[in-house]
Amino acid sequence: YIDLDRFSRLLLSRANDAFDYQGGGALRPGDMSHPLSHYFVESSHNTYLTGDQLASASSAEMYERVLLQGCRCVELDLHDGQDGMPELKHGKTLTTRIKLEDTLKSIVKTAFAASEWPLILSLEVHCSPKQQAALARALRAHLGDWLLLP
């Protein structure tokens, strides 16, 4: 039997660290020479939400907050917007919507403020083909050379 205190210490101990500080072959801090799947990536799910997944407000500032905390993978849930541009919201819920433009501005503002490592945008796209094209144009306009394109 292991109690909560001992279990917590085990999880947070150096023996359970993702890095090998002794240099014995595991990944070392700052080493980006391995495939992405070899790394633990700080990720955020439903990044835009300020509270619960059912009825909370959405905010572009949440992207700034998580990026400044070191997050390297953020999620954008995109749905057809009323003005011809995709909007972010948690589908089929009462959460509020935010404009794609505001979100991309927040991402650009803080994308590399706390970390030089690559930023992954996890796009959950529920848009019509017309708004998918608008999304692609907006991503290129705001992110430009930061995008890794095929």
Side-chain angles (χ1 to χ4, degrees):
Y1 172 76
I2 185 170
D3 64 20
L4 180 60
D5 182 57
R6 290 182 70 195
F7 181 65
S8 296
R9 282 186 288 154
L10 172 66
L11 287 179
L12 299 173
S13 74
R14 277 231 159 160
N16 203 34
D17 202 317
F19 297 113
D20 176 10
Y21 294 92
Q22 305 302 317
L27 299 179
R28 288 179 282 294
D31 180 1
M32 290 295 290
S33 63
H34 296 268
L36 183 62
S37 61
H38 290 194
Y39 298 90
F40 289 98
V41 178
E42 288 192 52
S43 303
S44 173
H45 179 67
N46 296 334
T47 307
Y48 47 89
L49 294 178
T50 62
D52 68 71
Q53 298 184 67
L54 299 176
S56 68
S58 301
S59 171
E61 286 77 25
M62 294 304 291
Y63 289 89
E64 295 177 32
R65 182 177 178 179
V66 300
L67 290 170
L68 290 172
Q69 292 174 346
C71 187
R72 302 318 301 153
C73 179
V74 295
E75 181 183 30
L76 291 83
D77 286 335
L78 298 147
H79 297 265
D80 282 344
Q82 297 165 349
D83 64 356
M85 284 298 292
E87 295 176 330
L88 286 82
K89 78 171 284 279
H90 199 276
K92 298 183 176 120
T93 67
L94 301 174
T95 61
T96 61
R97 294 174 173 260
I98 52 175
K99 294 188 175 295
L100 174 63
E101 179 92 8
D102 295 339
T103 303
L104 292 176
K105 286 179 181 177
S106 287
I107 290 171
V108 166
K109 180 178 174 182
T110 53
F112 299 102
S115 175
E116 65 187 63
W117 305 121
L119 175 61
I120 300 165
L121 301 181
S122 175
L123 305 177
E124 188 175 310
V125 182
H126 303 277
C127 298
S128 65
K130 186 175 181 178
Q131 290 208 13
Q132 288 178 35
L135 168 62
R137 286 191 300 274
L139 290 169
R140 284 191 167 140
H142 285 276
L143 304 176
D145 291 340
W146 287 355
L147 291 172
L148 178 61
L149 300 171

